[in-house]
């Protein structure tokens, strides 16, 4: 987790519009079924020029750094265990079922 946090801060610091003071931070905000939830907090020079483009640039940087350093993003997996199944499940209805 420490590596992921460091990489998030590094990605934020690489974006020109992100201020160096106060410094970008990365916080653990929770734990999901298959995740550690992180939040990057940054200050930008000129919010009147848009914020979404800065967020996009930071997140693309995070993506690249995660791949470069082998940090994997877990995707939820579900296993289905069928204990028993009726013989007629999945069979089309017989033609005379409605009569």
């Amino acid at each position: 987790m420490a590596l992921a946090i460091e990489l998030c801060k590094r990605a934020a610091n690489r974006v020109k519009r992100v201020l160096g003071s106060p410094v970008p931070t990365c916080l653990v905000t929770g734990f999901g079924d298959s995740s550690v939830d992180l939040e990057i907090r940054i200050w930008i020079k000129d919010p009147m020029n848009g914020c979404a483009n800065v967020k996009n640039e930071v997140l693309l940087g995070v993506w690249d750094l995660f791949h470069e350093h082998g940090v994997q993003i877990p995707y939820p997996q579900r296993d289905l265990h069928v204990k028993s199944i009726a013989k007629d499940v999945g069979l089309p209805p017989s033609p005379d079922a409605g009569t």
Side-chain angles (χ1 to χ4, degrees), residues 32-67:
D33 288 341
S34 302
S35 69
V36 174
D37 302 333
L38 302 176
E39 179 177 286
I40 303 170
R41 293 188 179 183
I42 59 172
W43 290 88
I44 61 173
K45 300 176 185 180
D46 52 355
M48 61 282 204
N49 291 327
C51 298
N53 52 357
V54 177
K55 180 179 178 180
N56 179 65
E57 195 173 341
V58 170
L59 292 177
L60 287 174
V62 169
W63 181 262
D64 291 341
L65 286 172
F66 276 17
H67 283 279

